[in-house]
Each structure stands twice: as C-alpha cells, then as structure tokens.
Amino acid sequence: MRTGPVWLFAPANAARKAQGALASLADVVVLDLEDAVAVSEKDAARAALAELALLPRRGTLCVRVNAAGTTLCLRDLEAAVRAGADGVMQPKTETAAEVGAVCWALAQIEAAHGRTQPTALVPLIETARGLSNLDRIDWVRRVRRVAFGSVDYALDLQLSGTAGTEAVTAAEFAIVRASRAIGLDRPIGGVTLEARDAALCARDARRARELGFDGKLAIHPAQIEPIQAAFRPAAEDVAWASEVVEAFAAAEKLGSAAILVRGRLVDYPVLAQAERLLARAGNAAR
C-alpha cells in the first residue's frame, strides 16, 4: 500500500467531506466507519463506500473499520474489500488474537470476491494494553506499520492532555522503538484536534518527525499542507546531504571513511543519515 505523511480521516457517510478528502492532496484518505459515524448510520456508511471508491483520487484509499471485538467489524471488512480499498485500519488493537482474526477474515473475504492483492492492515494502537502487547504480536505480511491513536490513548489512561504531554510522548517513543525492534516500517503519529490551527499542526508534525514517525493522522484538509511541509526535508538539509554523499564517495576512493564536511565529522553512520534524507526528499518530490 502506497503511503505518505498525511493520513486524512473523513466519515464515509458524509458525502461532501468524503468527496473533498478524496479530491484533496492527502497521501492516504481514511474513510471512517468507526468513531466519526453514529451507530444509526453504520449501514449507510458501509453502503456509501462502494460509490466513493469509484471517484477519482490522488492518494491511497484506506477504511477504518469498527474494532475487532464488535459485531460490526466483519461487515465493515467485507464492505472495504468490496470497495477495493488498499488498506484497512483496525482500531483499538490490543492482542495478537485480534490481528490474526482480522487477517483471517480478510483472507476469506478476498478469496470470495476474487481479490488477489492482499488488503494492507494498519493496526491503531490506542490503549495501554495495546501498547504493552505491541512487541509481542506476530506480525504478518499484510501489516507493515502501525498508527498511534493519541486521543483514545489519553482517554484510556485518564490523562488531561494529548500531544506533547510527558506520558503521551513516552508512548509515542515506545511505539517507534517497538516498530523498529519487530521490523515494521516507521509508524504514523496521532491527530491534532485543533483543526484550523496550522501553526500548532505544523509544530506537532515536526515533533512527530523528530520522534521517528513517518507521517501523521489528520482530521481536516487544512492540516494537509502543514503536515506535508513538516515532513519535507528543508532545502539546506538536502544541500548538506548531497555534499556529504559526494564528498564521502570521493574520500572513499582514496581509502578514507572519516572526513570533515563543513567542519563536521562524517563517517558511515552520518553518510547513512544523509542518504536517508535524500531518499525522503525524493519521495516528497514524487
């Protein structure tokens, strides 16, 4: 599943919002069947998926289903596969059994509908139990990354704040570290609830990038540009990285693997950082 820094939520039963999200510059559009949809509207939201999936879109299509422990999840998964969604986001993920059950259900539904490309699964870590079990889950190939539900996590721990608080930051770092330890791609950070505060969203996005996240969940199209800008390498950083790669290649030919670039020591670890930054810049440009 192709991804990027902005994962924009939109309720599947709200046609204007969903269509706007699909037409936006978001890298991933997450059509929501869970928290943004009233219980009385669940059937209507599922039915809307098929029509929304036919609309032209720039980004990847993901569907947030209801939690695995609910009676709604199986019907949500079927609706997502029928709509041809690239991925499914599984909220309130807490155990390996839940992940296994959802993967099994997806495999059966895909087979029944003749789908040969596996639907990606993105577990949403939103509770203390889910965080505690993160590095114990036997991840399967359809799971490449997790996302952090910071608001529900704060609710679960009865915290007074979300982004930037000491407890939430500790959880964010634990998710980044666990993802690395078990071989997953870098995770996706939580939302900024102040939908139209671009400065705050940009600050939260820069903080998420510095913590090691590879993107951020968004709740409003106004958050797309600040998030993308925060995850886009600065021009001066790209220039520095290019200089490092060029200088190191020349030095290596002469048998040296430790040089100074602009007065700063460059060895193999620093070279790897420069190459990673250039790769990120290339992805952002695409």
Side-chain angles (χ1 to χ4, degrees), residues 210-282:
E210 291 165 0
L211 280 169
F213 287 91
D214 197 32
K216 179 174 167 57
L217 304 176
I219 59 171
H220 193 278
Q223 297 178 328
I224 295 175
E225 197 281 330
I227 295 173
Q228 288 179 336
F231 280 90
R232 187 184 306 124
E236 57 268 28
D237 292 335
V238 174
W240 173 84
S242 298
E243 188 176 339
V244 164
V245 171
E246 183 177 346
F248 198 90
E252 205 172 26
K253 290 180 180 178
L254 299 175
S256 177
I259 61 173
L260 293 180
V261 176
R262 300 185 190 179
R264 179 181 175 185
L265 175 66
V266 173
D267 54 8
Y268 281 115
V270 178
L271 173 66
Q273 291 177 340
E275 290 173 336
R276 185 177 301 157
L277 190 149
L278 290 176
R280 197 169 77 240

Side-chain angles (χ1 to χ4, degrees), residues 37-150:
V37 178
V39 175
S40 60
E41 285 289 303
K42 299 292 187 183
D43 290 337
R46 278 189 220 101
L49 280 181
E51 293 184 14
L52 291 170
L54 297 176
L55 297 177
R57 61 179 183 271
R58 171 186 177 275
T60 300
L61 176 61
C62 188
V63 175
R64 180 165 71 168
V65 300
N66 284 274
T70 70
T71 59
L72 302 168
C73 183
L74 187 59
R75 284 174 286 169
D76 291 348
L77 293 173
E78 183 167 16
V81 172
R82 287 172 63 93
D86 302 294
V88 165
M89 184 172 285
Q90 178 186 345
K92 313 293 190 298
T93 302
E94 293 188 327
T95 67
E98 291 173 347
V99 174
V102 171
C103 288
W104 182 87
L106 281 172
Q108 305 310 306
I109 296 167
E110 288 164 350
H113 292 280
R115 176 163 176 164
T116 57
Q117 179 68 28
T119 309
L121 179 61
V122 184
L124 194 53
I125 307 302
E126 302 184 90
T127 65
R129 188 183 184 202
L131 179 58
S132 297
N133 287 332
L134 181 53
D135 59 358
R136 301 190 184 105
I137 294 177
D138 182 19
W139 299 105
V140 294
R141 68 188 181 95
R142 71 170 78 229
V143 178
R144 287 307 317 145
R145 69 181 74 241
V146 301
F148 181 43
S150 52

